[in-house]
Amino acid sequence: MVKINENFFALKESYLFSTTARKIREYQAAHPDKPVIKMGIGDVTKPLTAPVVAALEKASREQGDARTFHGYGDEQGCGFLQQAIVAYYRETAGVELKQNEIFISDGAKSDVANFTDLFSDDNVILIPDPVYPVYMDSNVMRGRKITLIDGNEGNGFLPMPYEGLEGDIVYLCSPNNPTGAVYSREQLKTWVDFANANGMIILFDSAYEAFVGDKELPRSIYEVEGAKKCAVEFCSLSKTAGFTGTRCGYTVVPEDIVIGGRSLNKMWLRRQTTKYNGTAYIVQRGAEAVFTPEGMATCRANIEYYKENARIMADALTELGIWFTGGVNSPYIWLKCGMDSWEFFDMLLNEIQVAGTPGSGFGKCGEGYFRLTAFNTHENTAEAMARLKKLLKK
Ligand code: PLP
């Protein structure tokens, strides 16, 4: 008889976003005259920019014409987009990559989860807490042993390796979701050295790299010497260019990563050519437009808009004397609420009609913390912060 993957039943049910959505819905139904400002959403609010839309339209027309139609493409992505990404890394991070080290996909979530295919199930996985849930759940599905590494006020929610820490694969996310915290070059160098010294792999999620404005902070782990020997980097156009509903990401697998004589780059190529048939041609043309000067300028303007919201939030919290991380080089602010995360959620919803996300939903270390996002209008963000100041100054 068929046997199912019992590991699925070890997954913790996540009620976080369904519960916050239900509570907001119920509050709104009971108080239609008090509109709730939603600051819990991790999705962009601005549409695709004009150069991207023009490229998508043009590519759509190509697909409707026998002379320019494209069928199946290369599973690892179109050369024009890989080359645009090589140039992007060179310009923004001073990093040199080869075209065949870049794999185009339908987003970072699927790549982060699918990459687990390449490793044996007896590896020990190190996962920061609090965390973007995909790292955890995709490994729980494989029945792997997971060790949590704690983020807290002491380490600024940027867990570091320590004497005696044992593991084979570590997930790092910077700028971080949910905390907005960003690793410095020195901190990443410590991780890279630790990984190389201990035969570990770093799975580095840089989905929010475009929010890093501070030149002192790294946008890519490959800015750190030695990273090409131990780190795979996952990136996405979701937050960089508003592709959350259009879907495009890319993963960098350096040729230099060799484990037991096996090339991780070749393994990922084999995995993708076996299980993935490539990202839509139209979408890749839209993605290519993101990396043109006009595309970059328009996407940058949207990012600056969100970052202005983050600044409005950071200023309000600073004025209130509340401890927080993020908000400067990230669309997320992670604040210490000084009470149970859900109680704080209820208080903000009921008293000032502002909705965020309880930190405890992202892991045990998130208890007592709260996430606000910058994906909103300036007006709503300023209004929410004015209400928060009034409430907390009471
Ligand atoms: N990585 C992190 C840290 C995220 O927060 C998200 C989305 O919220 C993703 C990856 C997913 O990106 P994509 O839309 O490209 O799948």
Side-chain angles (χ1 to χ4, degrees):
M1 204 175 96
V2 64
K3 294 186 188 66
I4 53 165
N5 181 352
E6 293 289 339
N7 295 318
F8 274 62
F9 303 96
L11 289 167
K12 280 208 195 94
E13 210 59 62
S14 174
Y15 299 110
L16 180 62
F17 290 105
S18 56
T19 308
T20 53
R22 178 180 54 76
K23 284 186 175 228
I24 296 167
R25 215 171 36 243
E26 286 172 1
Y27 180 88
Q28 206 60 99
H31 306 89
D33 53 325
K34 292 181 173 174
V36 175
I37 301 179
K38 293 177 191 159
M39 305 192 71
I41 311 157
D43 194 354
V44 292
T45 46
K46 287 193 163 288
L48 297 173
T49 67
V52 173
V53 174
L56 290 169
E57 282 173 348
K58 181 168 176 281
S60 300
R61 278 192 295 274
E62 278 180 49
Q63 289 299 74
D65 185 328
R67 289 165 301 177
T68 50
F69 170 75
H70 289 76
Y72 289 123
D74 286 343
E75 291 88 345
Q76 64 269 39
C78 295
F80 59 77
L81 182 54
Q82 290 171 309
Q83 280 163 21
I85 293 167
V86 167
Y88 178 70
Y89 266 90
R90 186 178 299 133
E91 280 154 30
T92 58
V95 167
E96 281 302 325
L97 295 173
K98 296 186 193 120
Q99 186 178 322
N100 70 335
E101 293 178 316
I102 293 163
F103 296 78
I104 313 298
S105 72
D106 62 0
K109 184 179 188 174
S110 32
D111 276 7
V112 165
N114 292 334
F115 216 81
T116 55
D117 275 7
L118 270 50
F119 304 107
S120 147
D121 287 338
D122 53 8
N123 282 295
V124 174
I125 316 296
L126 301 177
I127 298 183
D129 177 355
V131 73
Y132 175 57
V134 179
Y135 315 148
M136 178 79 89
D137 289 353
S138 54
N139 282 290
V140 169
M141 283 177 182
R142 305 286 300 241
R144 291 183 177 145
K145 183 170 183 288
I146 292 167
T147 301
L148 294 174
I149 41 176
D150 290 357
N152 49 48
E153 198 175 334
N155 58 24
F157 284 91
L158 293 167
M160 294 299 295
Y162 50 84
E163 188 77 23
L165 177 65
E166 282 180 16
D168 305 298
I169 295 166
V170 62
Y171 287 83
L172 299 178
C173 177
S174 176
N176 190 273
N177 179 14
T179 71
V182 187
Y183 279 108
S184 69
R185 278 199 189 84
E186 294 68 35
Q187 286 172 317
L188 285 188
K189 176 83 176 110
T190 305
W191 268 115
V192 164
D193 290 347
F194 186 79
N196 279 327
N198 294 286
M200 288 170 63
I201 286 289
I202 298 174
L203 300 180
F204 188 76
D205 185 339
S206 66
Y208 298 93
E209 58 82 24
F211 285 80
V212 175
D214 186 342
K215 293 265 178 286
E216 295 306 310
L217 293 171
R219 292 176 67 152
S220 161
I221 195 164
Y222 304 120
E223 292 180 40
V224 169
E225 202 196 322
K228 280 191 184 167
K229 289 203 172 338
C230 64
V232 173
E233 183 159 291
F234 301 91
C235 210
S236 166
L237 292 186
S238 283
K239 309 299 158 70
T240 302
F243 270 57
T244 49
T246 306
R247 311 303 305 145
C248 191
Y250 47 96
T251 292
V252 181
V253 191
E255 279 186 333
D256 288 357
I257 307 183
V258 179
I259 303 167
R262 313 275 197 197
S263 155
L264 218 56
N265 178 289
K266 288 211 173 72
M267 282 179 74
W268 183 239
L269 178 63
R270 185 61 211 257
R271 193 267 172 213
Q272 290 299 79
T273 50
T274 303
K275 294 197 186 180
Y276 188 62
N277 243 348
T279 308
Y281 170 77
I282 297 170
V283 169
Q284 293 193 68
R285 281 295 183 195
E288 182 191 25
V290 171
F291 298 101
T292 60
E294 307 76 49
M296 275 282 108
T298 51
C299 292
R300 266 258 58 87
N302 285 351
I303 287 173
E304 287 308 321
Y305 185 93
Y306 297 133
K307 284 176 74 172
E308 177 57 24
N309 289 343
R311 261 189 293 276
I312 294 169
M313 294 191 284
D315 287 349
L317 296 177
T318 304
E319 195 182 317
L320 287 164
I322 293 174
W323 189 91
F324 67 94
T325 55
V328 184
N329 295 285
S330 155
Y332 298 120
I333 286 226
W334 180 253
L335 62 103
K336 187 174 178 177
C337 53
M339 61 168 87
D340 175 274
S341 297
W342 278 105
E343 267 177 39
F344 191 72
F345 174 88
D346 290 335
M347 184 178 86
L348 294 200
L349 180 62
N350 292 314
E351 298 202 20
I352 58 169
Q353 296 77 48
V354 171
T357 313
S360 53
F362 298 100
K364 66 177 180 0
C365 293
E367 183 53 272
Y369 292 85
F370 199 72
R371 190 189 78 168
L372 292 174
T373 88
F375 299 119
N376 216 313
T377 61
H378 290 337
E379 296 71 28
N380 278 346
T381 308
E383 174 60 24
M385 290 304 107
R387 292 184 198 172
L388 186 72
K389 281 195 251 179
K390 208 162 148 203
L391 174 75
L392 297 183
K393 275 181 182 166
K394 261 202 256 174

